[in-house]
Amino acid sequence: AKGKIVFAFQIQSSLDIEEYAKSNGVVGVIIASNPYDHIAPGTTDIPYVYVDFEIGMDIMLYFKTTK
C-alpha cells in the first residue's frame, strides 16, 4: 500500500487503521464510520478524512465499477 490512499470501514478502533497506515507507507486514509461515533484525532502526520457509511458505500461502489 506504499504511496496509496487506504479506504476502510471503521468497525473497530481507528488506531488499527492508523497502525496499518504508518507501517505500510500509506499517504492518506478515508474512513467510513457511523456519524454518531466518537472521532479521535490521529497521532500521525497522515491525512485522514471521515465520511458516513452512506458515502462509504458510494465510494465502495465506485471502486467496484471502475478500473
Side-chain angles (χ1 to χ4, degrees):
K2 185 173 180 145
K4 304 284 183 178
I5 295 174
V6 170
F7 169 72
F9 284 90
Q10 183 175 357
I11 297 171
Q12 297 179 349
S13 168
S14 62
L15 293 177
D16 296 334
I17 299 167
E18 186 174 316
E19 283 300 317
Y20 177 83
K22 283 185 348 188
S23 64
N24 288 287
V26 170
V27 297
V29 179
I30 301 170
I31 300 174
S33 66
N34 185 334
Y36 300 107
D37 285 348
H38 172 72
I39 297 174
T43 59
T44 67
D45 58 351
I46 299 169
Y48 283 76
V49 63
Y50 285 87
V51 298
D52 66 21
F53 283 132
E54 184 176 348
I55 299 296
M57 291 302 294
D58 289 343
I59 293 170
M60 181 66 72
L61 178 63
Y62 174 79
F63 288 158
K64 290 188 176 281
T65 58
T66 59
K67 290 187 176 190

